[in-house]
Amino acid sequence: MTVAYDPQNIFAKILRGEIPCVKVREDDKTLAFMDVMPRADGHVLVVSKTPGRNIFDLPEEALSELILRVQKVARAVKTGTGADGVTIHQFNEPAGGQSVFHMHFHVIPRWEGVPLRAHGGAMVEAAVLETHAAKIRAALE
Ligand code: DGP
């Protein structure tokens, strides 16, 4: 069964400017901003501006545009944070670990031997997120 997209989800509200976020990158197709519950310092979410719940219903063209932005952000996250690598996560439906039902990718910097913090763990204040965002923005091509 396909579940309908709900335009009242939190990322749709961020896209409409109804609630704040710490922005990293924006263009006409996508928005990248800091995850408020980061699994590592520098954890970014890349969100499609096309309404879609997840991989099952996002139109192909929007998915193509989104993954190309994920690559740009991943490069900037690695360079900007000085990470050894980057983990990309994308969850679909509650059973798949998804909690916000607007299509997005997680871009998470990784350092050798450092485990990820919990998914959906402690919230970090905007001023701290901004210090990481500034480094990532500076590394964007
Ligand atoms: P998931 O749907 O499982 O891919 O996880 C959603 C992620 O979104 C999770 O890592 C926490 C983050 N998140 C939830 N609410 C907000 C919010 O209001 N602002 C920001 N920046 N991130 C949020």
Side-chain angles (χ1 to χ4, degrees):
M1 189 187 78
T2 306
V3 182
Y5 176 78
D6 176 7
Q8 294 310 316
N9 74 78
I10 199 99
F11 293 169
K13 290 180 180 179
I14 287 174
L15 286 170
R16 291 194 295 266
E18 294 169 9
I19 64 167
C21 70
V22 176
K23 287 187 187 181
V24 170
R25 182 185 186 282
E26 183 168 20
D27 60 32
D28 58 334
K29 306 293 184 188
T30 63
L31 174 66
F33 55 93
M34 303 308 290
D35 192 308
V36 80
M37 301 169 194
R39 302 195 65 183
D41 293 348
H43 180 168
V44 177
L45 299 170
V46 190
V47 171
S48 177
K49 289 190 175 179
T50 301
R53 187 173 161 89
N54 52 39
I55 200 149
F56 299 122
D57 63 339
L58 191 73
E60 285 183 5
E61 192 179 342
L63 179 59
S64 304
E65 293 158 354
L66 181 58
I67 195 67
L68 294 174
R69 273 58 165 203
V70 169
Q71 184 185 45
K72 290 181 192 298
V73 170
R75 288 172 171 156
V77 164
K78 185 172 184 297
T79 303
T81 65
D84 300 317
V86 165
T87 294
I88 310 288
H89 280 157
Q90 194 276 314
F91 303 110
N92 301 281
E93 298 300 327
Q98 188 177 14
S99 59
V100 178
F101 300 100
H102 180 108
M103 179 67 181
H104 60 278
F105 282 87
H106 297 254
V107 180
I108 310 172
R110 303 300 303 274
W111 289 267
E112 291 295 344
V114 179
L116 288 179
R117 299 195 286 261
H119 181 51
M123 285 182 71
V124 171
E125 60 187 72
V128 175
L129 298 178
E130 175 56 33
T131 64
H132 305 304
K135 293 177 189 164
I136 297 166
R137 282 196 294 264
L140 280 167
E141 291 167 8

